[in-house]
Amino acid sequence: MRVVFMGTPEFSVSVLDALIEAGHDVAAVYCQPPRPAGRGKKDRPTPVNARAEALGLEVRHPISLKAADAQKDFADLNADVAVVVAYGLLLPQAVLDAPKLGCLNIHASLLPRWRGAAPIHRAIMAGDAETGICIMQMEAGLDTGPVLMRSTLAIQDEETTADLHDRLSENGAALIVKALGALPQLTPEVQPDEGVTYAHKIDKAEARVDWTQSATDVDRQIRGLSPFPGAWTEIEGQRVKLLASRLAAGQGEPGEVLDDALVVACGTGAVELLRLQRAGKGAQDKEVFQRGRPVPKGTHLA
């Protein structure tokens, strides 16, 4: 099948690899343009851009698809289908209509729950027991199109967004290959109006831990915001990111470190901090973190 692939971050790379491995003809790859990154602020290609170039594929990164010439360039690819996963641009109707079998989106939630930009983060932060992948026929609305195929994954108790991201990426890659093999025989399932929620983009203002919250909420916040932007707290006046945690036994004043194993009291219950990162340093498991500048029992986190 002749495919246009549209994706940008690491999440999308396994999908591109799966399409190639399945023998599909990838006519072109659309992704966001290189942007300044790192200490030198040099332009760095996106993960999909880098992978596509390594595979010898044509890469395009238009700033917008609203212009007539950009839409013509897309239509001239004469694709059977477009596969879209975390691309980063809205597709005008002319683009949606160009491929013979339309545009399929790989969305990392069980639609209609968590439409929008941050479905993995939001599922963990909300304490969802499960999530999954939907292969959706795209239309003009935000993640409103009919679902062609779906799969479900249980969210593990200590899973972070990074962990779940990787599992969902592999699951999405397998599912889109299966869906393309069954097109156009698949029956679209119209999304119900009931159960719609929106996964709004993560705001950095959400990242500071409020230790007066319950241990359950604090644990979900830490895991849901790991690795980016990273939940954080102040330890002896220094900002420290908290990248992994689990629920623990204990009680005390909110923010009080209860033992040398970094169990911290919350408004109700306690959490054990498993992975931390001081400003300007790499992430460390708690054992290594405690050997450097240990946080003793009785310290109060703010």
Side-chain angles (χ1 to χ4, degrees):
M1 190 173 289
R2 187 168 172 81
V3 177
V4 174
F5 181 76
M6 311 179 83
T8 294
E10 192 66 42
F11 186 87
S12 310
V13 172
S14 61
V15 178
L16 177 58
D17 285 340
L19 294 174
I20 296 295
E21 187 175 341
H24 293 289
D25 173 21
V26 177
V29 172
Y30 281 70
C31 60
Q32 291 292 295
R35 291 194 169 93
R39 291 184 178 179
K41 296 298 180 183
K42 294 182 179 179
D43 281 353
R44 179 181 297 174
T46 67
V48 164
N49 192 337
R51 183 59 180 152
E53 289 182 348
L55 292 169
L57 300 172
E58 179 186 350
V59 179
R60 300 179 178 182
H61 26 70
I63 302 300
S64 170
L65 291 168
K66 294 180 181 179
D69 56 348
Q71 294 176 10
K72 182 179 184 303
D73 289 344
F74 184 89
D76 286 347
L77 291 167
N78 196 30
D80 295 309
V81 68
V83 172
V84 184
V85 51
Y87 174 39
L89 282 183
L90 293 176
L91 304 190
Q93 194 63 48
V95 171
L96 295 174
D97 293 341
K100 298 178 182 67
L101 297 172
C103 299
L104 304 186
N105 177 248
I106 302 171
H107 188 75
S109 81
L110 297 175
L111 293 169
R113 185 162 177 79
W114 301 130
R115 294 174 180 173
I120 303 176
H121 299 77
R122 296 300 180 190
I124 291 179
M125 293 172 74
D128 289 2
E130 63 183 19
T131 186
I133 291 288
C134 283
I135 307 298
M136 181 190 68
Q137 187 83 49
M138 294 181 71
E139 58 182 33
L142 177 63
D143 299 330
T144 57
V147 174
L148 299 175
M149 193 174 284
R150 66 175 66 217
S151 66
T152 300
L153 292 177
I155 299 176
Q156 305 302 317
D157 289 344
E158 296 179 20
E159 199 158 27
T160 66
T161 285
D163 299 329
L164 187 54
H165 166 284
D166 292 348
R167 288 207 295 140
L168 286 169
S169 177
E170 294 299 324
N171 190 264
L175 198 64
I176 190 63
V177 169
K178 185 177 178 180
L180 291 178
L183 279 178
Q185 287 79 29
L186 294 175
T187 301
E189 170 196 324
V190 176
Q191 292 186 42
D193 294 329
E194 185 178 353
V196 174
T197 59
Y198 287 93
H200 297 291
K201 185 178 180 180
I202 298 296
D203 189 318
K204 289 185 178 180
E206 300 178 70
R208 185 167 192 165
V209 173
D210 177 359
W211 294 105
T212 67
Q213 297 292 310
S214 71
T216 296
D217 287 341
V218 170
D219 176 60
R220 291 171 181 173
Q221 178 188 14
I222 291 170
R223 292 184 296 106
L225 298 181
S226 176
F228 181 84
W232 63 274
T233 190
E234 286 189 358
I235 301 178
E236 297 176 337
Q238 183 184 40
R239 182 182 292 204
V240 176
K241 283 188 178 183
L242 312 177
L243 299 174
S245 61
R246 63 185 168 207
L247 296 176
Q251 58 184 5
E253 293 184 15
E256 179 185 358
V257 177
L258 301 178
D259 58 24
D260 293 334
L262 286 180
V263 172
V264 183
C266 302
T268 55
V271 296
E272 181 182 356
L273 304 180
L274 302 176
R275 192 164 176 80
L276 306 91
Q277 183 177 12
R278 293 188 185 276
K281 305 291 184 180
Q284 297 176 319
D285 290 340
K286 69 170 184 176
E287 294 81 7
V288 178
F289 185 88
Q290 284 291 71
R291 286 201 296 268
R293 290 172 57 189
V295 181
K297 177 182 177 180
T299 301
H300 278 78
L301 311 188

